[in-house]
Amino acid sequence: AQTVTQSQPEMSVQEAETVTLSCTYDTSESDYYLFWYKQPPSRQMILVIRQEAYKQQNATENRFSVNFQKAAKSFSLKISDSQLGDAAMYFCAYRLYNFNKFYFGSGTKLNVKP
Amino acid sequence: DTAVSQTPKYLVTQMGNDKSIKCEQNLGHDTMYWYKQDSKKFLKIMFSYNNKELIINETVPNRFSPKSPDKAHLNLHINSLELGDSAVYFCASSQVLTGGGDQYFGPGTRLTVT
């Protein structure tokens, strides 16, 4: 069974600092996608970053980058130069390559302190 | 241009009533979803349609009935509303069999049952 675990219910970071959110997943498949979604107080779910499992290179989108460790089934999100607008719930998600069911973690609430 | 839209954004109703939430996507995606997000922010998939065909039907009460008139629309009808149905309902879409399979969410519908 596919499961996604986010072990940090809540985290805090000082503005301009760097924070890393953890995510682990369980699967016996080799082809899949991993995602990080952001949900600010407006409740809109926003795609932050995507990683294809067949790619060894870690995905990067501006201040957001991931540390993808396939053997360890770990997919952490690093936010550099944190901004007040980064404060949100962050969800890790998994999808098999050719199947349309997404599995979401329970979320991590990120607080950004000025 | 709104990619995934939902109406209404807020819905307040009494127990026992029947209500519908509508969803439309203009991304040309082949797959649409309904999710329920509870008060603890846990995101749970309810249904998924691929080209108007129901392919994911999680353990959801029969009072919930999705309908997809075409691949750009997925509506959710709820009969005999109960207090426990109060939640935020998200519609989403993705292109699964080709492309990166990123999932795009609507703005959510906050349903409050009194």
Side-chain angles (χ1 to χ4, degrees), chain A residues 9-92:
Chain A
E10 189 166 357
M11 294 190 71
S12 295
V13 64
Q14 206 71 34
E15 198 175 3
E17 297 293 308
T18 295
V19 64
T20 299
L21 309 184
S22 301
C23 173
T24 59
Y25 57 96
D26 186 23
T27 184
S28 57
E29 304 292 333
S30 58
D31 292 331
Y32 50 86
Y33 293 99
L34 294 164
F35 307 84
W36 278 99
Y37 281 87
K38 170 185 177 181
Q39 187 180 37
S42 67
R43 82 170 182 242
Q44 176 71 54
M45 293 283 285
I46 303 163
L47 176 65
V48 175
I49 200 164
R50 161 169 48 93
Q51 175 79 42
E52 292 91 339
Y54 65 86
K55 289 187 178 178
Q56 291 188 335
Q57 187 172 6
N58 289 325
T60 299
E61 287 288 340
N62 300 315
R63 298 182 295 107
F64 298 87
S65 61
V66 299
N67 183 3
F68 173 47
Q69 302 288 329
K70 191 171 184 179
K73 297 179 184 175
S74 170
F75 182 59
S76 60
L77 175 70
K78 186 171 85 170
I79 306 174
S80 304
D81 186 26
S82 297
Q83 300 175 0
L84 294 177
D86 295 333
M89 284 288 289
Y90 285 82
F91 294 93
C92 178

Side-chain angles (χ1 to χ4, degrees), chain A residues 33 35 37 39 42-47 50 52 89 91 95-102 104-106, chain B residues 9-10 31 33 35 37 41 43 48 55-56 58 90 96-97 99-103 105-108 110:
Chain A
Y33 293 99
F35 307 84
Y37 281 87
Q39 187 180 37
S42 67
R43 82 170 182 242
Q44 176 71 54
M45 293 283 285
I46 303 163
L47 176 65
R50 161 169 48 93
E52 292 91 339
M89 284 288 289
F91 294 93
R95 178 176 80 76
L96 276 174
Y97 178 74
N98 219 21
F99 186 55
N100 60 2
K101 184 173 180 178
F102 285 71
F104 283 84
S106 54
Chain B
K9 290 189 179 178
Y10 298 93
T31 305
Y33 311 78
Y35 287 90
Q37 187 175 43
K41 302 293 187 182
L43 205 58
S48 176
I55 52 173
I56 294 176
E58 294 294 292
F90 284 98
V96 174
L97 297 182
D102 296 349
Q103 190 168 70
F105 284 81
R110 181 176 293 280

Side-chain angles (χ1 to χ4, degrees), chain B residues 64-105:
Chain B
F64 290 79
S65 54
K67 280 196 172 60
S68 182
D70 55 62
K71 75 172 192 176
H73 295 85
L74 180 62
N75 304 323
L76 182 66
H77 187 75
I78 315 170
N79 289 324
S80 303
L81 278 155
E82 300 177 357
L83 292 176
D85 298 333
S86 295
V88 178
Y89 292 84
F90 284 98
C91 177
S93 73
S94 68
Q95 185 66 19
V96 174
L97 297 182
T98 60
D102 296 349
Q103 190 168 70
Y104 294 86
F105 284 81

